[in-house]
Amino acid sequence: MAQKVQGTEDLYGGYMRAWQHMQAVAHELFDTYGFDMIETPALEQIDTFVHGIGESTDVVRKEMFRVVSGALFERLLEEGTEKGLKPRQRLAMRPEGTAGVVRAVVENNLVPQGSTPAKLWYAESMFRGERPQKGRLRQFHQIGLEWLGAPDPAADAECIIILMELYRRLGFDMSKLRLYINSMGDSNCRPAYRKKVKQFIYDHKDEMCEDCLERAEINPLRSFDCKNEHCQQIMQSAPLVTDSLCEECAQHYAQVKAYLDAAGIEYVEDPTLVRGLDYYTRTVFEVEVLDAGVGAIGGGGRYDGLVELEGGKPTPGIGFAVGFERVALALATQGVDMEGAEPTCVYVACAAPEQRSAVFEATLTLRDAGLRVEADYQGRSLKSQFKQADKLNALVCVIIGADEVANNTYTLRDMNTHEQVSIAQADLVDEVIELMYSAEFEDDVEL
Ligand code: HAM
């Protein structure tokens, strides 16, 4: 039997409804802040990610799925090297959304200099070749938001407020959420800080792992994310970025916190929070759920240098992304069901093959009225059509037999009470809707 790739999932039924629900909640919320939806290709040139996310990050070095067409693959096998490939032939599946959105903003000139910021959001699959485990997939879904052209610390605070409001609307017990924030400085103050961390790693080189020694050379801040427990312990006493911020960054950070305080958002300052992607400057943040054991359910930050890295003019940016699968897992631990009720419908039952065209017409009329309508397409007996109607959550059955056709009537069956009434053909839509609403009221079933 064919099998799905490890670390990927099929989304259908209730799980699909949960994903759609999360998108609908995000859509309604983001709309009030003036964000429009964007979809960028799942395939981008590798350089888009390497420039933006950073060559030394785990995401780029170890986790990115790299793609070549079948014809090129043959050539690579023959030549034994990818050196002959042109940049536009070197592709990757997007491991995250920010770099692609920024590439699109630059390519389509969505923030002409001095004009209104671009405010964009997306709901897309991301691909990372990680070792699959609970809440860690190779294809997962993110809802993300990117705000290009807004340098004001109020934008940082608003992003965090939107993120926390999204969790609240999804039904989280907010007392169980921990929002961690930090400032990572900018191109002014970070180079000196990096040097300090590099020196710190060298001072502890006998105790740290090989990877960290390599990181000290290319990007020492990545050692804060090292999975080795001993390295983590040592990094606890490494110099803190918040002690090395320049005046402008310190002020920006103080203002972000003042706005969060004013909005009543609780946060924990974590000066070791560096995030796994290199494009961040100044504010970074991440959210975890206590006792859920799924890791971060969302994170983001400011990336004032990324547009330039993608070939555009200097344009500040900030955003966040939320992982659907982790949100679903974390909500389940809190007893919150994102799936909602299964959809209900009207079932049009056919007593005998002679009435098939009358059934066909009735289904069209009811669907025109916006109802979810099912019928039999397998030539079943009336009894098994009722069974099928029950399985499909039908609230009402419209029964059409020889008498109904002869008298220009329909028989309506309330699927809860099994009571039946005869109605005039012309009243079909009104009568069905009335019966469906009263059935909903009786049972509190979502329509
Ligand atoms: P990220 O922290 O790498 O940030 O991912 C955001 C969220 O995606 C995580 O908090 C987590 O919920 C989910 N996630 C990440 N990896 C996996 C995985 N392997 N399996 C399941 N869920 C996962 C970003 O991607 C940035 N682009 C966020 C951002 C937007 N920063 C600025 N703008």
Side-chain angles (χ1 to χ4, degrees):
M1 186 174 57
Q3 283 183 335
K4 61 183 180 292
V5 173
Q6 230 193 344
T8 66
E9 288 180 337
D10 299 311
L11 267 70
Y12 59 90
Y15 203 36
M16 178 50 102
R17 283 201 303 279
W19 172 226
Q20 289 174 325
H21 170 71
M22 186 162 157
Q23 292 179 60
V25 172
H27 191 165
E28 191 175 296
L29 170 65
F30 297 170
D31 200 50
T32 64
Y33 281 82
F35 286 82
D36 290 324
M37 201 168 189
I38 185 170
E39 183 168 331
T40 59
L43 266 183
E44 294 270 359
Q45 292 184 26
I46 277 186
D47 285 349
T48 299
F49 303 122
V50 174
H51 293 159
I53 298 169
E55 205 149 3
S56 62
T57 55
D58 278 357
V59 171
V60 165
R61 283 172 64 203
K62 302 181 186 166
E63 296 165 6
M64 207 159 55
F65 283 107
R66 303 175 63 166
V67 181
V68 287
S69 69
L72 280 179
F73 187 67
E74 290 298 316
R75 206 179 96 193
L76 284 185
L77 285 181
E78 267 169 36
E79 293 176 5
T81 167
E82 57 171 15
K83 284 210 174 93
L85 292 188
K86 298 186 176 76
R88 63 168 190 273
Q89 294 172 318
R90 295 155 60 91
L91 310 178
M93 304 294 291
R94 65 172 165 237
E96 58 101 52
T98 314
V101 168
V102 168
R103 194 265 316 133
V105 165
V106 171
E107 198 169 339
N108 301 296
N109 197 24
L110 298 184
V111 192
Q113 286 308 288
S115 92
T116 321
K119 299 170 89 171
L120 303 162
W121 75 279
Y122 46 89
E124 292 171 344
S125 288
M126 306 294 163
F127 306 85
R128 295 187 193 175
E130 301 194 77
R131 185 174 302 168
Q133 50 183 282
K134 184 181 170 197
R136 191 173 297 277
L137 293 150
R138 289 182 171 154
Q139 179 175 357
F140 57 99
H141 297 79
Q142 278 187 351
I143 288 190
L145 171 157
E146 313 293 349
W147 189 350
L148 280 301
D152 195 311
D156 307 41
E158 280 193 19
C159 263
I160 294 173
I161 291 168
I162 299 171
L163 176 65
M164 299 313 283
E165 177 62 13
L166 177 62
Y167 294 132
R168 197 191 64 76
R169 292 191 187 188
L170 288 171
F172 273 105
D173 171 354
M174 298 303 280
S175 68
K176 291 272 166 50
L177 262 51
R178 284 291 171 276
L179 163 67
Y180 298 96
I181 64 168
N182 191 22
S183 172
M184 296 193 54
D186 63 5
S187 53
N188 242 339
C189 49
R190 199 154 61 208
Y193 174 64
R194 276 168 63 128
K195 262 193 193 157
K196 279 192 206 168
V197 178
K198 181 174 177 174
Q199 189 54 51
F200 176 87
I201 297 173
Y202 282 142
D203 291 346
H204 295 79
K205 67 174 188 294
D206 296 339
E207 304 156 78
M208 297 191 70
C209 73
E210 283 293 317
D211 272 358
C212 277
L213 298 184
E214 207 180 301
R215 287 178 182 124
E217 274 308 312
I218 40 179
N219 192 348
L221 301 198
R222 295 270 69 85
S223 292
F224 281 106
D225 290 336
C226 183
K227 307 230 161 69
N228 181 312
E229 270 180 30
H230 193 58
C231 294
Q232 279 173 12
Q233 243 170 19
I234 294 166
M235 289 305 289
Q236 297 266 323
S237 44
L240 297 177
V241 64
T242 28
D243 296 333
S244 302
L245 296 181
C246 61
E247 187 52 31
E248 289 79 7
C249 285
Q251 257 187 27
H252 187 99
Y253 190 37
Q255 279 179 20
V256 173
K257 287 186 282 182
Y259 281 125
L260 292 179
D261 292 338
I265 301 279
E266 283 182 32
Y267 54 84
V268 178
E269 286 185 69
D270 176 1
T272 66
L273 177 67
V274 292
R275 310 268 297 129
L277 311 156
D278 276 355
Y279 48 61
Y280 290 114
T281 51
R282 296 192 167 172
T283 316
V284 285
F285 47 91
E286 213 160 78
V287 180
E288 284 182 12
V289 188
L290 299 180
D291 311 323
V294 297
I297 55 165
R302 182 165 277 288
Y303 46 83
D304 290 346
L306 181 56
V307 175
E308 276 173 280
L309 289 173
E310 299 291 357
K313 301 224 173 72
T315 309
I318 182 156
F320 64 74
V322 175
F324 159 67
E325 291 79 2
R326 290 190 191 179
V327 162
L329 283 169
L331 277 174
T333 65
Q334 297 192 351
V336 180
D337 163 30
M338 269 209 297
E339 298 184 2
E342 282 184 27
T344 55
C345 68
V346 190
Y347 192 97
V348 186
C350 187
E354 295 72 44
Q355 287 90 48
R356 190 65 190 87
S357 59
V359 167
F360 186 75
E361 268 173 44
T363 58
L364 290 185
T365 308
L366 290 165
R367 285 179 183 139
D368 273 350
L371 293 167
R372 182 177 170 117
V373 183
E374 293 282 0
D376 169 50
Y377 297 90
Q378 292 155 302
R380 291 165 190 249
S381 69
L382 200 55
K383 197 172 154 205
S384 61
Q385 287 182 55
F386 287 149
K387 270 195 193 152
Q388 196 189 28
D390 266 333
K391 266 201 190 135
L392 292 168
N393 270 333
L395 296 177
V396 176
C397 225
V398 180
I399 305 165
I400 307 181
D403 287 353
E404 281 82 1
V405 172
N407 302 327
N408 289 334
T409 59
Y410 294 121
T411 299
L412 297 195
R413 179 181 172 94
D414 181 326
M415 294 299 284
N416 276 323
T417 61
H418 293 179
E419 276 168 29
Q420 297 193 174
V421 287
S422 175
I423 60 156
Q425 254 185 27
D427 298 336
L428 178 66
V429 170
D430 288 348
E431 294 282 355
V432 165
I433 288 177
E434 202 182 313
L435 202 51
M436 290 203 54
Y437 276 98
S438 65
E440 181 204 21
F441 185 70
E442 275 165 27
D443 247 22
D444 201 24
V445 180
E446 200 175 323
L447 276 176

